[in-house]
Amino acid sequence: MKRSEVNRYIKQAIKLFDENNFHLPSWALLTPEEWKDKIATERCKEIIDHTLGWDVTDFGKNNFMKEGLTLFTLRNGSPKSEKTYCEKIMVSYVNQITPMHFHWNKMEDIINRGGGILALQLWKANKKEEKTSDSFTVQIDGITQNIEAGEIIRLNPGESITLEPYIYHQFWAEKETCIIGEVSKVNDDSNDNRFYEPLGRYPEIEEDESPLFLLCTEYL
């Protein structure tokens, strides 16, 4: 991705969050220059070590509006710490697909926080990591629902779904841009994403302009 794209989509996310009264922590708006001073202290160690903050990805496909996602990780721990949970806020544009994947370890709630309809297409994987034709159950706002392989679930604003490990899912917004919440066990995007099609989780950045904000992989 080009740095100009990253800058543009972060600015759009900030505007969207502001319009919907979703407030980010103050450090979300620190400039790269301001981060230089922060890194010299231990006060931001958790932010840096647990990759909190901005994350804009096209999954290495170089077509962000077709396959991409804007994320901000608000809090995250580690399996070895007392903080064993994670929270993210995300932006998905209309028909912008987050590619099919599952997590080996992470259970997560995906929440439509506002905007359009959030569509998720689901399959159960076997231990060989293959998609199966098996039916299965999920929890939608605490209510058990039977799901057929490849079925599309549509969540209205305020609705959520719980996804267990080994459930392949891809998702996108319909009608309007969606603000998406995620509450989960500890998140490890470097090691706990099994994409059905081999993809890169973090894109290479072409520096066509200066960064307005640092991505979560760029603090050091």
Side-chain angles (χ1 to χ4, degrees):
M1 292 187 70
K2 292 183 177 180
R3 180 67 68 174
S4 56
E5 293 180 281
V6 173
N7 287 341
R8 180 166 71 252
Y9 296 125
I10 290 178
K11 287 193 295 183
Q12 289 179 189
I14 292 170
K15 183 174 184 292
L16 186 63
F17 296 152
D18 285 345
E19 290 171 347
N20 287 271
N21 292 311
F22 187 93
H23 302 289
L24 297 171
S26 58
W27 55 265
L29 303 182
L30 291 177
T31 66
E33 291 72 24
E34 290 170 322
W35 269 112
K36 290 177 182 178
D37 293 332
K38 297 287 182 182
I39 291 173
T41 74
E42 286 292 304
R43 291 181 299 155
C44 296
K45 181 175 175 57
E46 182 166 319
I47 295 172
I48 297 166
D49 290 349
H50 298 162
T51 58
L52 276 61
W54 291 109
D55 179 0
V56 182
T57 182
D58 63 2
F59 303 98
K61 301 294 284 291
N62 295 314
N63 192 343
F64 177 81
M65 291 305 295
K66 182 178 179 181
E67 293 182 274
L69 191 63
T70 305
L71 312 91
F72 188 94
T73 301
L74 294 149
R75 46 192 57 84
N76 193 24
S78 73
K80 296 181 180 180
S81 71
E82 293 185 0
K83 183 179 285 188
T84 56
Y85 54 86
C86 174
E87 181 185 7
K88 296 182 181 181
I89 193 75
M90 302 175 279
V91 176
S92 180
Y93 297 100
V94 174
N95 295 327
Q96 182 190 41
I97 293 174
T98 294
M100 190 191 315
H101 64 288
F102 71 67
H103 307 290
W104 288 283
N105 300 306
K106 184 174 74 171
M107 178 182 286
E108 58 188 344
D109 280 10
I110 303 295
I111 310 141
N112 186 341
R113 292 292 190 193
I117 305 299
L118 177 60
L120 302 98
Q121 191 170 22
L122 309 175
W123 293 264
K124 186 175 183 178
N126 59 28
K127 293 303 181 181
K128 294 181 179 179
E129 303 177 359
E130 302 163 328
K131 281 194 307 180
T132 72
S133 58
D134 297 345
S135 59
F136 55 101
T137 62
V138 296
Q139 299 291 319
I140 298 178
D141 293 323
I143 299 171
T144 301
Q145 183 165 324
N146 294 319
I147 302 293
E148 299 299 325
E151 185 172 343
I152 297 174
I153 300 298
R154 289 180 168 86
L155 301 178
N156 294 306
E159 295 180 332
S160 67
I161 186 170
T162 300
L163 298 178
E164 297 180 352
Y166 282 84
I167 298 298
Y168 272 117
H169 54 287
Q170 60 182 11
F171 58 85
W172 61 92
E174 295 181 346
K175 297 186 177 180
E176 297 178 43
T177 298
C178 273
I179 299 176
I180 305 168
E182 179 186 311
V183 178
S184 72
K185 293 183 177 179
V186 165
N187 180 80
D188 182 0
D189 276 321
S190 296
N191 300 296
D192 194 29
N193 285 306
R194 200 304 187 184
F195 288 102
Y196 189 70
E197 173 191 1
L199 296 173
R201 174 58 182 83
Y202 298 109
E204 294 185 8
I205 305 298
E206 179 185 337
E207 302 292 349
D208 62 329
E209 65 181 38
S210 298
L212 297 178
F213 307 99
L214 293 181
L215 296 173
C216 63
T217 54
E218 296 179 326
Y219 297 126
L220 300 178

